[in-house]
Amino acid sequence: MSSVVRVRGLPFETTEAELITFFSGLPVTSAIITHDMAGRPSGEGFVTFADAESAKGALSFSMQNLGRRYVEVFESSPDEMTTKASMGQAAAMGQHTDAVLRMRGLPFDVTISQVVEFFDGYAITDGNVTMGITADGKFAGQPSGEAWVQFASQDLATA
């Protein structure tokens, strides 16, 4: 198990500081609240602990209340945290999302580098690609077979 957990069911107004406080008694090193593609809080967050053992202990906080809602705590990874955190990045940075291409039906083991390589010649970098992660059910936290690619313009996205 890694030192990262995913927290689902957060009240939308939850701050990173409140998320850190929720795990009082455990050595939290950082916390982030994720945002959707419109830039709004998604109700999910990620917390990184000093070690994997502390993250394992954080799982016992699942189904406890944070504010007026109970939250669920799941094992996660730095990769999942990076992917989810970047999903709302385009909107948060004020970029237009009309130049985003959604890819579906990708192999579950495809990497960001392979998507970048596929779009060779379109000035796509790792930071322009967001890989989809299954949020619920038996395959929660696993690749969804989707990716979103941010192009410099609508013309390039539809070329």
Side-chain angles (χ1 to χ4, degrees):
M1 178 171 174
S2 80
S3 61
V4 178
V5 297
R6 178 172 56 101
V7 185
R8 182 173 66 187
L10 297 171
F12 294 122
E13 64 276 0
T14 302
T15 66
E16 282 89 356
E18 290 169 328
L19 192 51
I20 290 169
T21 301
F22 178 72
F23 290 104
S24 65
L26 294 175
V28 174
T29 59
S30 67
I32 62 165
I33 305 293
T34 60
H35 294 80
D36 63 19
M37 292 302 284
R40 297 179 303 243
S42 67
E44 286 191 350
F46 290 86
V47 180
T48 304
F49 294 89
D51 53 56
E53 194 63 36
S54 298
K56 186 175 182 180
L59 298 176
S60 68
F61 285 70
S62 193
M63 307 309 282
Q64 293 187 25
N65 282 2
L66 175 61
R68 65 186 188 286
R69 298 187 60 176
Y70 75 88
V71 297
E72 298 172 279
V73 182
F74 304 94
E75 291 183 26
S76 188
S77 68
D79 287 340
E80 181 186 13
M81 179 176 63
T82 301
T83 299
K84 285 280 198 158
S86 67
M87 289 181 86
Q89 185 177 17
M93 293 175 65
Q95 297 174 344
H96 298 288
T97 57
D98 58 351
V100 173
L101 176 73
R102 178 182 178 202
M103 301 176 73
R104 295 175 42 191
L106 296 171
F108 295 119
D109 62 349
V110 73
T111 65
I112 289 176
S113 297
Q114 290 171 318
V115 173
V116 169
E117 184 179 329
F118 181 80
F119 289 107
D120 186 40
Y122 288 90
I124 301 298
T125 65
D126 288 4
N128 298 103
V129 179
T130 300
M131 302 300 292
I133 302 292
T134 303
D136 297 320
K138 179 180 176 182
F139 299 104
Q142 300 298 314
S144 68
E146 295 179 309
W148 290 264
V149 182
Q150 175 76 51
F151 287 83
S153 70
Q154 179 68 29
D155 291 338
L156 287 175
T158 58

